[in-house]
């Protein structure tokens, strides 16, 4: 039995994906402990998984809630607060992790790609580690836009110039975080580096994104494994459907995820669009709305409004999903063969939305779109046959991926052998 430490951003979707991987490792007889500021313990729901709090001096009570508020509104000048929070968290973890990993006597590290400290500290201490892409992979490649960019995939020189220019702008915006990475890399005696993609594992890199959903890649490392969604097994759909849907009318599931569920205006536009096309709509706001706002959505035509819904169950019933373009929602929609209307807001959501449109599994729209424009997108999605073939092809590929159980096996092999685990595409 080995003891593995997990380092990830304190975000619900990332912790839940890595919790599923941890549960698969527990089933294989290992111990798993997450390390982060103490408030992040509330993001875990399995009591078998350990949690080691760090950074109380720099990240006291209330700091996580403040960070999440900033992350929920990452536009304009507020993006500076988001980047400042990221810098402070990476700096804190780089300072605190060495002692925490020593206290835990960790045998290896599972590092989310979006938190540079996991890979930096593990490499600095000589601990084996694997990297996990819970969001779109941060692996850079010439001729591809960064995952946070909204650009479609093209192979023209104009497109390549656009990708290069946007990459320079992104690196300039993130220069403070690059300084934190560079300073701690130097302190650990590592080769110079400044970016997330320079802190990835040489042993195994796991990704939730199916290769068929990403833009065409030509330079993935040999140890890169597209394992698919990191989820617990889906319960059988027995008995009555979760939502009493009228089969004579289309049913739409709408959710903006855990960070963006407070965006009443966007949800109102989605509700009005569903009313315009005669669709039933289930709105899951993930606790972001108050009772008055939820009631207002019902008055606008929402059939059901709830805080949380079983997303995979709802998608089984839906003929379309309107989403912020979160990777988890899109992957669940593919598995259910449900076309996607992506309304991206921030982070890698514009990149996911671009891939949704590129592969023909749905459409994308601006978050500033009014109900009429969204209604036209929904009419296209609800028309018979338009996205069936693309969804079926991707769903079949997704079905072949090993998920959390396979990811656990790769993790175990990489951390035990301390040698690269090669993927099939690299053979």
């Amino acid at each position: 039995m080995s003891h593995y430490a997990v380092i990830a951003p304190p975000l619900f979707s990332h912790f839940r994906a890595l919790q599923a991987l941890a549960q698969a490792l527990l089933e294989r007889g290992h111990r798993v402990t997450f390390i982060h500021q103490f408030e992040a313990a509330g993001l875990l729901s399995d009591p078998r998984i350990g949690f080691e709090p760090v950074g109380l001096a720099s990240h006291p009570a209330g700091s996580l809630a403040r960070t999440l508020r900033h992350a929920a509104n990452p536009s304009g000048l507020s993006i500076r607060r988001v980047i400042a929070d990221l810098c402070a968290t990476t700096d804190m973890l780089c300072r605190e992790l060495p002692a925490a990993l020593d206290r835990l006597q960790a045998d290896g590290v599972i590092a989310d790609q979006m938190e540079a400290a996991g890979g930096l500290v593990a490499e600095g201490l000589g601990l084996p580690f694997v990297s996990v892409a819970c969001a779109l992979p941060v692996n850079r490649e010439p001729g591809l836009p960064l995952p946070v960019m909204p650009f479609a995939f093209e192979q023209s020189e104009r497109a390549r110039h656009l990708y290069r220019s946007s990459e320079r702008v992104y690196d300039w915006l993130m220069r403070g975080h690059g300084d934190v990475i560079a300073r701690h890399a130097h302190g650990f005696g590592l080769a110079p580096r400044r970016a997330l993609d320079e802190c990835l594992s040489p042993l195994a890199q796991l990704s939730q994104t199916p290769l068929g959903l990403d833009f065409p890649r030509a330079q993935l490392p040999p140890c890169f494994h597209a394992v698919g969604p990191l989820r617990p097994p889906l319960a059988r759909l027995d008995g009555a459907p979760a939502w009493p849907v009228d089969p004579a009318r289309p049913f739409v599931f709408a959710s903006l995820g855990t960070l963006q569920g407070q965006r009443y205006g966007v949800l109102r536009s989605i509700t009005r669009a569903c009313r315009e096309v005669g669709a039933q709509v289930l709105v899951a706001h993930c606790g972001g709305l108050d009772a008055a706002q939820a009631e207002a959505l019902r008055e606008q035509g929402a059939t059901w409004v709830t805080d949380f819904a079983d997303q995979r169950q709802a998608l089984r019933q839906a003929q379309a999903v309107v989403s912020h373009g979160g990777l988890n929602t899109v992957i669940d929609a593919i598995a259910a063969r449900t076309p996607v209307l992506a309304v991206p807001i921030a982070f890698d959501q514009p990149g996911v939305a671009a891939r949704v449109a590129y592969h023909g599994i749905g459409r994308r729209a601006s978050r500033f779109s009014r109900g009429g424009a969204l209604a036209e997108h929904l009419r296209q999605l609800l028309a018979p046959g338009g996205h069936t073939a693309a969804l079926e092809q991707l769903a079949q590929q997704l079905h072949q991926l090993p998920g959390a159980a396979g990811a656990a096996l790769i993790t175990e092999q990489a951390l035990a052998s301390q040698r690269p685990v090669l993927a099939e595409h690299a053979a």
Side-chain angles (χ1 to χ4, degrees):
M1 179 183 77
S2 296
H3 189 184
Y4 302 136
V6 178
I7 317 299
L11 301 172
F12 180 85
S13 60
H14 289 248
F15 262 55
R16 283 305 167 94
L18 290 165
Q19 176 175 274
L21 174 56
Q23 289 168 329
L25 288 165
L26 291 172
E27 294 299 321
R28 298 185 64 82
H30 302 290
R31 291 175 61 200
V32 182
T33 299
F34 281 61
I35 308 176
H36 217 290
Q37 63 192 96
F38 82 99
E39 292 172 299
L43 298 172
L44 295 171
S45 62
D46 190 329
R48 299 175 299 166
I49 299 172
F51 186 83
E52 180 75 7
V54 294
L56 185 60
S58 60
H59 289 67
S63 59
L64 180 56
R66 184 176 62 252
T67 295
L68 295 179
R69 285 196 302 272
H70 294 165
N73 296 281
S75 58
L77 293 177
S78 62
I79 192 65
R80 296 181 181 178
R81 295 197 298 262
V82 175
I83 296 172
D85 290 338
L86 180 62
C87 292
T89 299
T90 297
D91 183 59
M92 180 272 287
L93 288 172
C94 284
R95 288 185 283 103
E96 300 280 351
L97 282 175
L101 291 167
D102 183 63
R103 287 195 301 271
L104 295 172
Q105 292 295 289
D107 300 299
V109 170
I110 299 167
D112 191 304
Q113 280 196 352
M114 294 303 297
E115 179 44 74
L120 271 177
V121 175
E123 187 177 350
L125 298 179
L127 281 172
F129 71 102
V130 301
S131 301
V132 183
C134 294
L136 287 177
V138 302
N139 304 66
R140 298 195 186 191
E141 190 169 316
L144 289 184
L146 295 178
V148 296
M149 297 300 172
F151 308 127
F153 175 72
E154 298 179 23
Q155 294 182 301
S156 66
E157 183 52 40
R158 173 186 171 278
R160 289 175 178 269
H161 175 73
L162 179 64
Y163 302 159
R164 290 192 298 268
S165 298
S166 65
E167 190 170 313
R168 287 193 293 270
V169 171
Y170 173 83
D171 287 337
W172 181 82
L173 287 171
M174 295 295 293
R175 63 194 183 281
H177 193 240
D179 291 342
V180 173
I181 292 173
R183 174 162 49 83
H184 284 288
H186 177 75
F188 288 124
L190 303 177
R193 64 199 70 187
R194 296 188 59 85
L196 291 174
D197 66 299
E198 297 172 326
C199 302
L200 304 181
S201 172
L203 304 180
Q205 298 176 24
L206 312 178
S207 173
Q208 289 201 105
T209 306
L211 292 179
L213 177 61
D214 205 350
F215 289 146
R217 287 185 174 271
Q219 297 182 17
L220 287 172
C223 64
F224 186 96
H225 301 259
V227 296
L230 300 174
R231 309 277 195 281
L234 179 61
R236 290 179 59 190
L237 186 59
D238 295 326
W243 303 96
V245 173
D246 178 358
R249 297 169 58 206
F251 171 49
V252 174
F253 175 56
S255 173
L256 300 179
T258 52
L259 276 181
Q260 309 297 338
Q262 87 286 356
R263 292 180 179 266
Y264 170 76
V266 178
L267 292 172
R268 181 181 58 192
S269 295
I270 293 169
T271 298
R272 290 174 174 174
C274 291
R275 182 181 63 189
E276 185 171 331
V277 301
Q280 305 159 94
V281 59
L282 164 63
V283 177
H285 57 77
C286 302
L289 301 185
D290 59 32
Q293 291 171 317
E295 182 58 32
L297 287 182
R298 295 186 188 95
E299 293 173 358
Q300 293 289 331
T303 319
W304 303 280
V305 181
T306 185
D307 47 4
F308 291 94
D310 186 322
Q311 178 165 279
R312 289 188 288 177
Q313 296 283 22
L315 287 168
R316 283 177 166 185
Q317 294 180 258
Q319 283 76 58
V321 56
V322 186
S323 160
H324 58 311
L327 181 64
N328 288 326
T329 304
V330 169
I331 290 177
D332 287 346
I334 292 169
R337 296 166 173 81
T338 304
V340 179
L341 175 54
V343 186
I345 296 170
F347 308 117
D348 69 334
Q349 296 158 20
V352 173
R355 286 156 177 80
V356 165
Y358 176 78
H359 289 290
I361 61 170
R363 301 171 70 87
R364 62 174 170 176
S366 167
R367 72 178 189 270
F368 302 110
S369 298
R370 299 296 184 181
L374 294 176
E376 183 55 36
H377 284 295
L378 281 175
R379 288 189 186 95
Q380 297 295 325
L381 285 186
L382 294 170
H387 303 277
T388 304
L391 280 166
E392 182 63 32
Q393 181 179 358
L394 260 178
Q396 290 185 12
Q397 181 188 127
L398 197 64
H399 183 70
Q400 299 299 318
L401 298 179
L409 185 61
I410 296 166
T411 297
E412 180 184 73
Q413 184 179 348
L415 297 181
S417 69
Q418 301 189 34
R419 298 179 62 184
V421 179
L422 303 185
E424 291 184 4
H425 67 80

